[in-house]
Amino acid sequence: MQKVIIITGISSGLGKSTAEYLSQKGHIIYGISRKLLEINPKINVLKADVTDPESLKAAIETVLKKEGKIDILINNAGMGISGPIEYSSDEDIKLQMETNFTGIVYLIKCVLPAMRKQREGTIINISSIGGLMALPFQGFYSASKFAIEGLSEALRMELKPFNIKIVVVRPGDFFTGFTSNRKIDPILSDNPYEPQFRKTLSIIETDEKKGLKPEYFARKLARIIEQRNPHFTYIISTAEQKLAVILKILLPEALFSSILGSHYGIK
Ligand SMILES: NC(=O)c1ccc[n+]([C@@H]2O[C@H](COP(=O)([O-])OP(=O)(O)OC[C@H]3O[C@@H](n4cnc5c(N)ncnc54)[C@H](OP(=O)(O)O)[C@@H]3O)[C@@H](O)[C@H]2O)c1
């Protein structure tokens, strides 16, 4: 059945592939981007910044005026900062949390009045495997994704009486613009973390560059959307990354932390 779908972050990576695939499947797509893009003409582009609630309000009003409803919101836009927690600038921490977490809150608040009136709707929040296990030198990125996980758990219960579903999707490594868009805090030469940070960051980047293709993500997400009763959470990743999530649950915390740390070159 054709659905009205809003998706953020359609200029690149997972959002772009998903918007294109869902539009090919016949859905009505509204894509939010900070740029007015030259993209598939079937995708309606709305210019908005997820850190600017007024721009989001205007974008949602446009969709409601044209379509009269919103079936699905996919909160996908995001970015990562990287660096030692001690040396991360206040400005970068704010940018990280506002883009990945507060932006989602703003958008959810914009769509809920319409979804409550409809007495149906689905909100899909794109978290990360990094929202289940924190990675070294990605502390604030992980914190932003852990925050999405907590928000989604509470929302799921609050919205049940209104028949609004919450789905959390946790991608593993995908090769997208995410790696080159990562904001790296300037490292001072006397920073005691520097050699370790450089080593770990290079492992993180290598893993991402060897990651899955965004088209795979788009197909998996489309299948989730087709479910009448989707699960609350999904992991979209390689089998190895799914295994890491299981090990995090099963192994003693100190052992898991030491295995994960050693993958990232930390002894
Ligand atoms: N790639 C991975 O390995 C991976 C793994 C786990 C989770 N994820 C998550 O998947 C989501 C998509 O990431 P991606 O890999 O597709 O990265 P990407 O290729 O860098 O795309 C990120 C998208 O987010 C948009 N965006 C960033 N800041 C924005 C803002 N303030 N307002 C509006 N849009 C903004 C960008 O649009 P602009 O054109 O406006 O910059 C871009 O379209 C993110 O939430 C990310 O955390 C990715």
Side-chain angles (χ1 to χ4, degrees):
M1 209 178 80
Q2 188 183 57
K3 294 192 167 135
V4 176
I5 301 175
I6 299 175
I7 174 162
T8 62
I10 53 140
S11 70
S12 162
L14 306 186
K16 185 174 185 212
S17 289
T18 303
E20 281 173 351
Y21 189 70
L22 292 175
S23 145
Q24 274 170 31
K25 291 219 131 209
H27 297 294
I28 300 170
I29 305 297
Y30 284 85
I32 290 183
S33 173
R34 283 179 294 188
K35 311 168 193 125
L36 277 177
L37 301 166
E38 301 266 328
I39 196 171
N40 177 338
K42 281 194 176 158
I43 298 171
N44 304 287
V45 181
L46 301 167
K47 189 166 180 275
D49 185 321
V50 297
T51 65
D52 171 6
E54 289 309 313
S55 72
L56 296 174
K57 229 184 260 174
I60 299 306
E61 272 165 19
T62 304
V63 181
L64 285 171
K65 221 185 226 171
K66 286 201 179 150
E67 309 296 338
K69 65 168 187 169
I70 297 163
D71 295 311
I72 300 175
L73 166 67
I74 305 175
N75 280 311
N76 164 75
M79 52 80 66
I81 67 166
S82 188
I85 289 171
E86 184 183 345
Y87 281 80
S88 298
S89 70
D90 294 348
E91 188 195 324
D92 281 359
I93 298 166
K94 194 164 175 268
L95 175 72
Q96 180 68 92
M97 298 311 285
E98 286 193 350
T99 308
N100 290 15
F101 176 65
T102 326
I104 286 188
V105 177
Y106 292 149
L107 254 176
I108 290 174
K109 288 176 79 166
C110 286
V111 300
L112 278 184
M115 285 190 176
R116 273 192 297 97
K117 229 184 263 168
Q118 295 163 196
R119 294 202 78 81
E120 69 178 340
T122 303
I123 297 171
I124 301 179
N125 294 330
I126 307 302
S127 172
S128 167
I129 285 185
L132 298 175
M133 57 182 81
L135 306 185
F137 303 109
Q138 305 255 45
F140 293 104
Y141 176 72
S142 283
S144 72
K145 297 295 187 180
F146 272 66
I148 292 174
E149 298 275 336
L151 177 89
S152 304
E153 256 181 55
L155 259 182
R156 184 189 191 206
M157 292 183 271
E158 290 182 23
L159 297 178
K160 194 167 181 239
F162 301 102
N163 192 32
I164 299 168
K165 296 182 181 83
I166 300 290
V167 176
V168 183
V169 175
R170 300 146 175 172
D173 284 326
F174 279 84
F175 186 32
T176 66
F178 188 84
T179 309
S180 56
N181 290 332
R182 178 177 280 117
K183 195 160 185 281
I184 297 166
D185 270 326
I187 294 289
L188 307 171
S189 55
D190 62 351
N191 178 337
Y193 298 90
E194 188 180 357
Q196 182 64 64
F197 169 56
R198 294 282 165 208
K199 189 174 170 188
T200 301
L201 183 62
S202 140
I203 296 168
I204 290 171
E205 288 181 342
T206 305
D207 286 349
E208 287 167 357
K209 286 178 187 161
K210 286 194 294 199
L212 297 165
K213 292 203 170 104
E215 292 76 17
Y216 175 77
F217 180 87
R219 287 198 300 276
K220 290 279 185 187
L221 196 65
R223 258 194 247 158
I224 295 170
I225 284 171
E226 282 159 15
Q227 305 290 315
R228 184 191 283 265
N229 284 310
H231 298 163
F232 173 48
T233 64
Y234 292 87
I235 292 173
I236 305 181
S237 74
T238 58
E240 286 96 328
Q241 289 192 310
K242 281 186 185 151
L243 177 65
V245 174
I246 295 169
L247 290 179
K248 166 133 200 221
I249 299 165
L250 296 180
L251 293 181
E253 284 164 3
L255 177 58
F256 182 77
S257 174
S258 134
I259 294 172
L260 194 65
S262 76
H263 173 76
Y264 291 109
I266 297 176
K267 293 202 181 88

